[in-house]
Amino acid sequence: MGALEAVILTIITASTPLLIAAIGELVAERSGVLNLGVEGMMAIGAVSGFGAALVTGSPGLGILAGIGAGAGLSLLFAFLTLTLAANQVATGLALTLLGLGLAGLIGEPLVGQPGVKLAPVVLGLDVLVFASFLLTAAVAYVLFRTRLGLVIRAVGTSHHSAHALGHGVIAVRYGCVMFGGACAGLAGAYLSLAYTPQWIETMTAGRGWIALALVVFASWRPWRVAIGAYLFGTVTILGFYVQASGIGIPSQFLSSLPYLVTIAALVALSGKGTFTRINTPACLGQSFVPDR
Amino acid sequence: MKKLLGGFLALAMGLAIAGASAEDKLKVGFIYVGPVGDHGWTYQHDQGRLALEQALGDKVTTTFIESVSEGPDAERAIERLARDGHGLIFTTSFGFMESTLKVAERFPEVKFEHATGYKQAPNVATYSARFYEGRYVIGQIAARTSKTGIAGYIASFPIPEVVSGINAFMLGAQSVNPEFKLKVVWVNSWYDPGKEADAAKVLIGQGADIITQHTDSSAPLQIAEAQGAHGFGQASDMIKFAPKAQLTSILDNWADYYVERTKAVLDGTWASGDVWGGMAAGMVRMATYTNLPEDVAKAAAETEARIKSGELLVFAGPIKKQDGSVAVEAGKSLPDPDILGMNWYVAGVDDTLPQ
């Protein structure tokens, strides 16, 4: 394996979980729902995926379990915020705490167990890396080229208008939130099955929050989210390379660089205020109670 | 009816007796900084707690509070245990220092033990382990087994404990091969398997064929295993994660200390103090030497024995700093306070120490 290949492979594995989680959250936010529980859903996805793969011996089933667990937890969020119209910010934060705690509880017997690794298929890349690209392409296509996407964006931009036109605002949002949960669960399963095949508590280490930030800084555009995720991964890994080559740049600075570079790049990309305004879902974070 | 009454009476008496014996039992509390499931630092402390229950289960009961953040929360958690009638409380992270001292002042009859701290009080003792002794041993193993002559070191934060570990590793390696090279990557986290794995990949990509770490997860070992490199476990035995790659593991063993100190409280001989135990005290142990040629394993065991007997001091002079100045003169050894405050690299480390 050449040195450059190794670098590229490392960057791809570091970026993939961020991309998957962020794409899911993007869809939820496009429909007007701000789910701050990404970190918790990732943790649940990681522990469920790891546990299922360990018990069945099949990483494929592990992935499905991760997706299912993430979607399941997001269903709880959807019920609270959509059906009961609870505050989305508070509920999302609670979901993170619940997810992390629950994952620790479920995962107790799994600590210290070597897991089942998702084997690479082509060029040292596993199937989920390709899935993440397909996912991005599919989301970009559906959101901006199909009727369904139009409805989702309409629900996110003006829920009252969408409702008046006869679209089921709550139903659309349920679907989008659960899609986001499934993606977060998948991203978590990627961590515990492909990235570092093991389960330990808090192994998500803040990646859910980074994914959340990426969505905002990418102005809710799928390909920009992909650029952001890869930029973040690239700068993180290159920072390690710089350190390992013994060039005397302070490591604290290198650690903060991915955040700075990604934010700067994405802000520069969406430099025009109008662009961001057009893309921001106007109903983001607002509860919708149908009046008739 | 009489029978029933008698039964109740017996039951009540039984309860009273059970209650009395529970009262007599010493309650020992533990405050953990991480989750018990971290399989690293906190996990090893909890293993110590379980060993204590095993050894003195008829005389003590134990309680723990996990994932306590270092700050105001810690004070509340410690106070809760103290108020709850605990006679001995172990606070197992450096950041609990001030909180432990504050609570100890309010509960003079409760004994406190604070891990890795340096401030004592009449009812607060401190304890830590000389992990650097183990790092010297693995440094020697690294230099003897590496083909490229380069090791990669994944480090958490530039605090003296971590720096002294890097230096001890390097001194061990240099005692075998003076030309040995060490690359250091700081991940600025104790605990992020993803980042640790990335750092390991990067280090292997830059020619290191031995990976060692001062972070808590087994991710770097897994990468070493997958890429045909070798490495060492951290805090607990990680052989399950890397059956071909792990050469040995530095084990934290708090069990003996916890049992000993609890016994001291039970028989009334407990006194405040500062214990910094190493291999001699059994606080630092090495896991089985595996995947090694016989002579290397033998040499490692010999070094371990020499450190244990006190014949070999890790920071014995002559030691030169990175800038060429003399750190320790020949014939002298670095005193403990200087090891505890170490903020310089020995010559040969291929890194600039973050300040």
Side-chain angles (χ1 to χ4, degrees):
Chain A
M1 191 160 53
L4 188 67
E5 250 178 275
V7 182
I8 294 172
L9 269 182
T10 313
I11 290 173
I12 292 174
T13 32
S15 311
T16 300
L18 296 177
L19 176 57
I20 297 175
I23 278 293
E25 177 67 13
L26 181 139
V27 172
E29 292 192 14
R30 273 286 181 178
S31 79
V33 184
L34 179 65
N35 185 354
L36 296 180
V38 181
E39 181 86 2
M41 297 187 296
M42 269 178 96
I44 278 289
V47 74
S48 310
F50 183 84
L54 193 69
V55 171
T56 62
S58 150
L61 284 176
I63 291 170
L64 289 180
I67 294 174
L73 197 62
S74 70
L75 186 62
L76 175 68
F77 174 84
F79 177 73
L80 291 171
T81 57
L82 301 177
T83 304
L84 303 181
N87 182 300
Q88 291 178 9
V89 172
T91 313
L93 289 174
L95 197 72
T96 287
L97 298 177
L98 173 70
L100 290 174
L102 206 59
L105 189 69
I106 302 170
E108 218 191 326
L110 303 174
V111 170
Q113 304 263 19
V116 183
K117 191 176 163 55
L118 180 67
V121 281
V122 198
L123 305 167
L125 296 172
D126 50 78
V127 63
L128 289 181
V129 170
F130 300 106
S132 72
F133 289 127
L134 275 179
L135 198 66
T136 311
V139 166
Y141 178 79
V142 170
L143 272 183
F144 297 102
R145 295 276 180 278
T146 66
R147 201 181 143 71
L148 173 65
L150 196 63
V151 173
I152 291 174
R153 285 185 292 136
V155 165
T157 306
S158 171
H159 44 218
H160 290 296
S161 312
H163 179 66
L165 285 169
H167 295 299
V169 171
I170 301 290
V172 169
R173 286 187 173 169
Y174 256 94
C176 291
V177 166
M178 287 185 66
F179 179 79
C183 286
L186 177 61
Y190 185 79
L191 289 180
S192 65
L193 291 171
Y195 201 166
T196 53
Q198 58 177 307
W199 164 254
I200 40 176
E201 274 189 72
T202 64
M203 72 181 294
T204 46
R207 286 184 178 75
W209 296 110
I210 296 170
L212 264 167
L214 279 176
V215 176
V216 178
F217 283 110
S219 335
W220 296 270
R221 304 289 291 198
W223 290 111
R224 286 176 189 219
V225 164
I227 293 170
Y230 270 78
L231 202 59
F232 193 91
T234 307
V235 178
T236 309
I237 301 303
L238 290 185
F240 288 153
Y241 266 89
V242 169
Q243 277 198 56
S245 13
I247 305 167
I249 300 174
S251 66
Q252 292 93 333
F253 174 69
L254 289 171
S255 295
S256 61
L257 212 53
Y259 301 88
L260 295 176
V261 170
T262 309
I263 291 172
L266 291 176
V267 166
L269 258 179
S270 47
K272 281 189 230 114
T274 42
F275 181 88
T276 316
R277 224 173 305 136
I278 289 167
N279 280 293
T280 310
C283 291
L284 187 62
Q286 294 172 19
S287 297
F288 176 70
V289 185
D291 44 4
R292 60 203 139 94
Chain B
M1 183 69 205
K2 220 176 194 175
K3 216 174 175 182
L4 199 63
L5 203 67
F8 270 118
L9 212 63
L11 194 68
M13 272 168 69
L15 279 178
I17 288 163
S21 64
E23 283 288 290
D24 288 346
K25 278 190 178 181
L26 174 69
K27 283 168 99 175
V28 183
F30 291 81
I31 304 282
Y32 300 144
V33 70
V36 169
D38 72 353
H39 208 247
W41 177 256
T42 294
Y43 177 81
Q44 284 303 120
H45 282 286
D46 199 55
Q47 292 297 308
R49 180 186 68 85
L50 293 171
L52 173 64
E53 283 209 326
Q54 192 90 47
L56 300 169
D58 50 339
K59 295 189 195 99
V60 299
T61 56
T62 66
T63 326
F64 68 89
I65 305 182
E66 61 180 339
S67 300
V68 176
S69 52
E70 303 176 331
D73 268 0
E75 200 178 322
R76 274 199 295 278
I78 300 166
E79 183 160 355
R80 217 189 93 196
L81 290 187
R83 218 174 267 292
D84 239 21
H86 288 77
L88 174 63
I89 297 171
F90 292 93
T91 55
T92 63
S93 184
F94 178 76
F96 296 151
M97 184 157 69
E98 297 305 330
S99 316
T100 308
L101 289 163
K102 268 191 205 162
V103 180
E105 213 168 57
R106 290 200 289 272
F107 294 87
E109 74 286 0
V110 180
K111 312 279 186 279
F112 294 86
E113 295 265 355
H114 176 229
T116 67
Y118 54 81
K119 285 188 190 167
Q120 293 92 31
N123 61 335
V124 181
T126 51
Y127 64 101
S128 186
R130 296 173 190 264
F131 303 114
Y132 67 83
E133 293 183 347
R135 300 215 175 256
Y136 187 87
V137 177
I138 65 173
Q140 281 195 334
I141 297 175
R144 287 205 170 96
T145 49
S146 172
K147 291 194 176 67
T148 58
I150 306 170
Y153 204 112
I154 301 162
S156 50
F157 293 100
I159 57 171
E161 189 198 335
V162 177
V163 175
S164 65
I166 294 172
N167 283 339
F169 182 91
M170 197 56 190
L171 290 171
Q174 285 170 340
S175 73
V176 175
N177 171 10
E179 301 301 312
F180 197 75
K181 282 200 163 38
L182 181 61
K183 289 178 182 291
V184 184
V185 168
W186 298 89
V187 292
N188 288 304
S189 166
W190 280 113
Y191 195 64
D192 182 340
K195 265 193 185 174
E196 293 168 46
D198 291 341
K201 286 180 199 163
V202 165
L203 287 164
I204 292 171
Q206 297 221 336
D209 61 353
I210 301 277
I211 297 294
T212 186
Q213 52 173 340
H214 203 143
T215 48
D216 280 345
S217 91
S218 52
L221 263 181
Q222 283 183 312
I223 298 301
E225 176 92 6
Q227 305 206 358
H230 289 96
F232 304 96
Q234 160 82 1
S236 61
D237 197 344
M238 295 176 170
I239 190 82
K240 271 204 260 174
F241 290 94
K244 292 201 293 286
Q246 180 179 300
L247 303 177
T248 182
S249 202
I250 302 173
L251 308 177
D252 310 356
N253 172 37
W254 307 107
D256 298 346
Y257 184 76
Y258 289 164
V259 173
E260 183 194 317
R261 296 301 277 177
T262 308
K263 272 187 184 157
V265 170
L266 284 171
D267 55 29
T269 57
W270 190 93
S272 171
D274 177 42
V275 169
W276 199 22
M279 287 182 166
M283 266 194 192
V284 179
R285 294 181 184 184
M286 305 303 289
T288 320
Y289 299 106
T290 45
N291 301 317
L292 285 171
E294 212 170 291
D295 55 324
V296 178
K298 215 177 131 201
E302 270 167 25
T303 306
E304 191 187 338
R306 284 177 62 210
I307 294 177
K308 211 179 256 179
S309 70
E311 180 193 342
L312 193 158
L313 292 170
V314 170
F315 293 109
I319 298 174
K320 266 192 181 165
K321 287 189 189 178
Q322 216 174 17
D323 59 8
S325 64
V326 176
V328 189
E329 284 169 36
K332 285 190 180 159
S333 178
L334 206 61
D336 282 356
D338 291 7
I339 301 175
L340 287 168
M342 199 175 273
N343 60 357
W344 45 268
Y345 276 144
V346 297
V349 177
D350 193 7
D351 184 41
T352 315
L353 186 60
Q355 292 300 329

